Amino acid sequence: MFNFLSHGNKTFDRGVHPGDFKEQTRTLPIERMPLVDEYILPLSQHLGGPSKAVVSVGEKVIRGQLIAEPAGFVSAALHASVTGTVIAIEPRPHPSGRFVESIVIKRDPYSAQRLFDEHATDWKKMEPAELLRAIQQGGFVGLGGAAFPTHVKLSVPPGKKVDFFMINAAECEPYLTSDHRVMLEQPEAIFLGIRICMKILGAKRAYLGAEINKLDALAQLQSQIPADLPCEIVPLETKYPQGAEKMLTEAVLKREIPSGKLPIDIQVVVNNVGTVAAIGDLFRYNQPVIERVVTMTGPGIQNPRNLLIPIGTKLTEVIEFCGGMKEDVRQILFGGPMMGNAVRSTDVPITKGTSGVVFFTEDEMVSTKEYPCIRCMRCVDACPVYLNPTQLGALARAGHYDDMMDLNIMDCMECGSCSYACPSNIPLVQSFRVGKALLREKMARERAEG
Amino acid sequence: MEFLTSVGFLTGLSIVLALLLVFANRKLSVYEDPRIAQVQDMLPGANCGACGVPGCAAFSEELVAGKALPSGCSVGGPETAEAIASFLGIDAGSAERKIARLLCAGGCDVAGDIVDYAGFSSCRAAATVAGGSKACTWGCLGLADCEVACDFDAIHMGSTGLPVVDADKCTACGDCVDICPKNLFELHSENQKLLVQCKSLLAGDDATDLCQVACTGCGICAADAPAGLIEMKNNLAIVDKNNFFDQTEIATLRCPTGAIIWLDGQQFPKEQRSAKLQKI
């Protein structure tokens, strides 16, 4: 047995050490969320172009049936998470705060909710290209939170090759335990998913990187690795943002991804452990992405839980299942506290990218009063991609976004370590988000004008 | 006598280099139409891009090449266009004057907030956090990104938190249109008098619960206006922007919320600038 607790676990340079606050839910087994009456499935749950609906209002759909197809390569398919009737295709509230075109399905209360098309496919007989197509058809997106279409990640561009397949089980966001529970409860699905991804990529070896605050899961996976699977479990120091692709490859392989490049450029492909387990489920049960594990946690919820929730369930109903919110809830975050997004109402659906919902009360609200920068350089020490947030922040506040380009703002991955480290409460990462969005728009305009 | 060698050497060198420069000037020179520089001097020099090409230099090249008409510069206005046209001996072209209009009237007096926003004071930043604090998802956030973006001092935030566009100063450069995260600005011809000041897709009470002056999608304006002028789409009245002739104030009279207005020039009344700004 390897010695987890000794110092010298692998990690990357810099980063921050927020408390992990995972004790509320780390020991709670995954429970299935009961079915509700209505499901709202936004056509835009992933990065890339919105999907195109292939059903019409009034049509009957079966659980697992394709209801929207990908529009273009960087897009994802969408499946009915419940058997019922399409009652509307219209703009509905979305966690992003906008109204997004969504397919609304009313559950058929008398249906047995069997999966659509049950014949199992034998992945061993399928070619890598067929497997990739099956994953695209299955509506797979990164379940870690970014929701980038999985088939795009798994497609190796011509002229490139893949040495290693990396499974991202760092789960470095505080509070969230969904990946932790998946690792404990579905090791077979994970190992099957790893085999399939390695076959698609032609990778020689797989690494599963997880932080040592998930010792039980690591030990269990280590003891259950099939003898013929070239997979290594790598314990990592608990540190944020270990789960970022660039940090994970640096921590596990000591390979650094150059500025502006992707993991594929250093012969690595990274995928989230939840996604890998779901890929395993696709080939075990022929189940596309119609449900996911969501951690309902935080001091503001009565009964924290790890729940398997069908995509499209309204947050209001999940909260009810968890015994309701405490009275003084002040903030609800989709995702973890470091990179998650606040929502403005509980009227929004759980989407494919929702890894957890965190409820904060009045007590956790820290002062947001902003003070002047004292040049302590804590943000510089925290930035895992070696940017200078102090200078970038000053430029952003002055509106000099063009100059931020020269300081490599585009390498910023918006992890928020700088804002976390700042003793003056300067909203650094938020200003970088604005700057990056404006610069991207400007570049797109310049391309369009030639 | 030694110094003579140095003097001689340097003189020789300078003559050789001068000849080289003369040669370069003759053989490698690129001819540029002198009118381009002159036209560029006549343009306002705002480099705003409203004409559709990046900057005044590029626009003056297009003008001299005959690829664009002087009226394409909305910043300079008719006088500049006239001057350039007579200088180049071409037609100035006709351009109707455009003004930026805000498609929202939900100031803090009529439209409430649903959450608190604390963070980077910019509409762009607020919009990335669950769409901002305003209860209406489509409404103006009032954090003044457009005021900052306007190069012509034409936008100032009013007392209800909405940007007031000075119709006399607006040059229709389109910077506010680009910066607004809610896409609330549109460039309208000054002849366009009917304006629906709302983008909410909600209907009836759902809309008025969030904002007292929202368009409820009732369709009264469409019924009162000449056929085809106003179209109802997604619970919102859409005015035909190419039909100035049929426009009538009657369409606005029975609007239950006042979302559709008849305007002449100024959209919101110009306000006394706040004391803080006046001091500067």
Side-chain angles (χ1 to χ4, degrees), chain B residues 55-114:
Chain B
C56 294
F59 186 59
S60 44
E61 278 173 33
E62 297 229 328
L63 283 175
V64 172
K67 288 185 200 151
L69 289 176
S71 59
C73 177
S74 62
V75 179
E79 302 86 40
T80 311
E82 226 21 84
I84 296 173
S86 60
F87 173 72
L88 291 174
I90 57 172
D91 179 26
S94 61
E96 36 177 27
R97 191 161 169 261
K98 289 194 167 182
I99 300 167
R101 303 292 193 195
L102 186 73
L103 303 191
C104 177
C108 57
D109 51 339
V110 288
D113 283 352
I114 190 171

Side-chain angles (χ1 to χ4, degrees), chain B residues 99-182:
Chain B
I99 300 167
R101 303 292 193 195
L102 186 73
L103 303 191
C104 177
C108 57
D109 51 339
V110 288
D113 283 352
I114 190 171
V115 287
D116 298 331
Y117 170 71
F120 191 45
S121 178
S122 144
C123 311
R124 282 277 175 159
T128 59
V129 187
S133 57
K134 201 163 246 181
C136 172
T137 327
W138 297 272
C140 171
L141 297 171
L143 294 173
D145 276 10
C146 48
E147 186 179 23
V148 175
C150 184
D151 289 334
F152 301 96
D153 194 35
I155 299 181
H156 292 288
M157 300 310 289
S159 54
T160 59
L162 292 180
V164 178
V165 179
D166 187 331
D168 300 327
K169 287 185 182 166
C170 178
T171 59
C173 68
D175 281 351
C176 51
V177 180
D178 291 337
I179 200 82
C180 181
K182 303 275 178 183

